[in-house]
Coordinates of all heavy atoms in Angstrom, one line a residue:
V1 N 116.9 68.4 85.1 CA 116.2 69.6 84.6 C 116.1 69.4 83.1 O 117.2 69.1 82.4 CB 117.0 70.8 84.9 CG1 116.4 72.1 84.3 CG2 117.1 71.1 86.4
L2 N 115.0 69.8 82.6 CA 114.7 69.7 81.1 C 114.5 71.1 80.5 O 113.9 71.9 81.2 CB 113.5 68.8 80.8 CG 113.4 67.4 81.4 CD1 112.1 66.7 81.0 CD2 114.7 66.6 80.9
N3 N 115.1 71.3 79.4 CA 115.0 72.6 78.7 C 114.3 72.3 77.4 O 115.0 72.2 76.3 CB 116.3 73.3 78.5 CG 116.8 74.0 79.9 OD1 116.4 75.1 80.2 ND2 117.5 73.3 80.6
P4 N 112.9 72.1 77.3 CA 112.3 71.7 76.1 C 111.9 72.8 75.1 O 110.8 73.2 74.9 CB 111.0 71.1 76.7 CG 110.7 71.8 77.9 CD 112.0 72.3 78.5
Y5 N 112.9 73.4 74.7 CA 112.8 74.6 73.7 C 114.1 74.8 73.0 O 115.1 74.1 73.3 CB 112.4 75.8 74.5 CG 113.4 76.2 75.6 CD1 114.5 76.9 75.3 CD2 113.2 75.8 76.9 CE1 115.5 77.3 76.3 CE2 114.1 76.0 77.9 CZ 115.2 76.8 77.6 OH 116.1 77.1 78.6
Y6 N 114.0 75.6 71.9 CA 115.2 75.9 71.1 C 115.6 77.3 71.3 O 114.7 78.2 71.3 CB 114.8 75.6 69.6 CG 114.5 74.1 69.4 CD1 113.2 73.7 69.4 CD2 115.5 73.2 69.1 CE1 112.9 72.4 69.1 CE2 115.3 71.9 68.8 CZ 113.9 71.5 68.9 OH 113.7 70.1 68.6
E7 N 116.9 77.5 71.3 CA 117.5 78.9 71.3 C 118.5 78.9 70.2 O 118.4 78.3 69.1 CB 118.0 79.2 72.7 CG 117.0 79.4 73.7 CD 117.5 79.9 75.0 OE1 118.5 79.5 75.5 OE2 116.9 80.9 75.5
M8 N 119.6 79.6 70.4 CA 120.7 79.7 69.4 C 120.2 80.1 68.0 O 120.9 79.9 67.0 CB 121.4 78.3 69.2 CG 122.0 77.7 70.5 SD 123.4 78.8 71.0 CE 123.4 78.4 72.7
G9 N 119.1 80.8 67.9 CA 118.6 81.3 66.6 C 118.1 80.1 65.7 O 118.1 80.2 64.5
L10 N 117.7 79.1 66.3 CA 117.2 77.9 65.6 C 115.7 77.6 66.0 O 115.3 77.7 67.2 CB 117.9 76.6 65.9 CG 119.4 76.6 65.5 CD1 120.1 75.4 66.0 CD2 119.5 76.8 64.0
T11 N 114.8 77.3 65.0 CA 113.5 76.9 65.2 C 113.3 75.5 65.7 O 112.3 75.1 66.2 CB 112.6 77.3 64.1 OG1 113.1 76.7 62.9 CG2 112.5 78.7 63.9
G12 N 114.3 74.7 65.4 CA 114.4 73.3 65.8 C 113.7 72.3 64.9 O 112.9 72.6 64.0
S13 N 114.1 71.1 65.1 CA 113.5 70.0 64.3 C 113.3 68.7 65.2 O 112.6 68.9 66.2 CB 114.4 69.6 63.1 OG 113.7 68.7 62.2
E14 N 113.9 67.7 65.0 CA 113.8 66.4 65.8 C 112.4 65.9 65.8 O 111.9 65.3 66.7 CB 114.4 66.6 67.2 CG 115.8 66.7 67.4 CD 116.4 68.1 67.2 OE1 115.6 69.1 67.2 OE2 117.6 68.2 67.1
L15 N 111.6 66.3 64.8 CA 110.2 65.9 64.7 C 109.3 66.3 65.9 O 108.4 65.7 66.2 CB 110.1 64.4 64.5 CG 110.8 63.8 63.2 CD1 110.8 62.3 63.2 CD2 110.2 64.3 61.9
H16 N 109.8 67.4 66.5 CA 109.0 67.9 67.7 C 107.7 68.4 67.4 O 106.8 68.4 68.3 CB 109.9 69.0 68.4 CG 109.8 70.3 67.7 ND1 110.6 70.7 66.6 CD2 109.1 71.4 68.1 CE1 110.3 71.9 66.3 NE2 109.3 72.4 67.1
T17 N 107.4 68.8 66.1 CA 106.1 69.3 65.8 C 105.1 68.2 65.8 O 103.8 68.4 65.9 CB 106.1 70.0 64.4 OG1 106.6 69.2 63.4 CG2 106.8 71.4 64.5
Y18 N 105.5 67.0 65.8 CA 104.6 65.8 66.0 C 104.6 65.3 67.4 O 103.6 65.2 68.0 CB 105.1 64.7 65.0 CG 104.4 63.4 65.3 CD1 102.9 63.3 65.2 CD2 105.0 62.2 65.7 CE1 102.3 62.1 65.4 CE2 104.4 61.0 65.9 CZ 102.9 61.0 65.8 OH 102.3 59.8 66.0
T19 N 105.8 65.1 68.0 CA 105.9 64.4 69.2 C 105.6 65.3 70.5 O 104.9 64.9 71.4 CB 107.3 63.9 69.5 OG1 108.3 65.0 69.4 CG2 107.7 62.8 68.5
L20 N 105.9 66.6 70.4 CA 105.6 67.5 71.6 C 104.1 67.7 71.8 O 103.7 67.5 72.9 CB 106.5 68.7 71.4 CG 106.3 69.7 72.7 CD1 106.8 69.1 74.0 CD2 107.1 71.0 72.4
P21 N 103.4 68.1 70.8 CA 101.9 68.3 71.0 C 101.2 67.0 71.3 O 100.3 67.0 72.1 CB 101.5 68.9 69.7 CG 102.6 69.5 69.0 CD 103.8 68.6 69.4
R22 N 101.7 65.9 70.8 CA 101.1 64.6 71.1 C 101.2 64.2 72.6 O 100.4 63.6 73.1 CB 101.9 63.5 70.3 CG 101.2 62.1 70.3 CD 101.9 61.1 69.5 NE 103.3 60.9 69.9 CZ 103.9 59.7 69.5 NH1 103.4 58.9 68.8 NH2 105.2 59.6 70.0
R23 N 102.3 64.7 73.2 CA 102.5 64.4 74.7 C 101.9 65.4 75.5 O 101.3 65.1 76.6 CB 104.0 64.4 75.0 CG 104.6 63.1 74.6 CD 105.8 62.7 75.6 NE 105.9 61.3 75.7 CZ 105.5 60.6 76.8 NH1 105.0 61.3 77.8 NH2 105.6 59.3 76.9
V24 N 102.0 66.7 75.3 CA 101.5 67.7 76.2 C 100.3 68.6 75.7 O 99.8 69.4 76.5 CB 102.6 68.7 76.6 CG1 103.8 67.9 77.1 CG2 103.1 69.5 75.4
G25 N 99.9 68.4 74.5 CA 98.8 69.1 74.0 C 99.4 70.4 73.2 O 100.4 70.8 73.5
P26 N 98.6 70.8 72.2 CA 99.1 71.9 71.4 C 99.4 73.2 72.2 O 100.4 73.9 71.9 CB 98.0 72.1 70.3 CG 96.8 71.4 70.9 CD 97.3 70.3 71.7
D27 N 98.5 73.6 73.1 CA 98.7 74.8 73.9 C 99.9 74.8 74.7 O 100.6 75.7 74.8 CB 97.5 75.1 74.7 CG 96.2 75.4 73.9 OD1 96.4 75.8 72.7 OD2 95.0 75.2 74.4
A28 N 100.1 73.6 75.5 CA 101.3 73.6 76.3 C 102.6 73.5 75.5 O 103.6 74.1 75.8 CB 101.2 72.3 77.2
A29 N 102.5 72.9 74.3 CA 103.6 72.8 73.5 C 104.1 74.2 73.0 O 105.2 74.6 73.0 CB 103.3 72.0 72.2
K30 N 103.1 75.0 72.6 CA 103.4 76.4 72.2 C 104.0 77.2 73.4 O 104.9 77.9 73.2 CB 102.1 77.0 71.7 CG 101.6 76.5 70.4 CD 100.3 77.2 69.9 CE 99.8 76.6 68.6 NZ 98.5 77.2 68.2

């Protein structure tokens, strides 16, 4: 099971603003 999102009051990093839309597209990433 994957939980591809951030909680804990964090907006997140890990360069996901580049890698996530590149893989699933901007709409699915949002």
Side-chain angles (χ1 to χ4, degrees):
V1 176
L2 306 180
N3 285 272
Y5 54 87
Y6 296 94
E7 291 189 311
M8 300 290 156
L10 297 175
T11 50
S13 190
E14 287 89 12
L15 299 171
H16 77 278
T17 53
Y18 172 61
T19 58
L20 183 60
R22 185 178 67 161
R23 277 211 150 256
V24 304
D27 292 339
K30 290 177 182 176

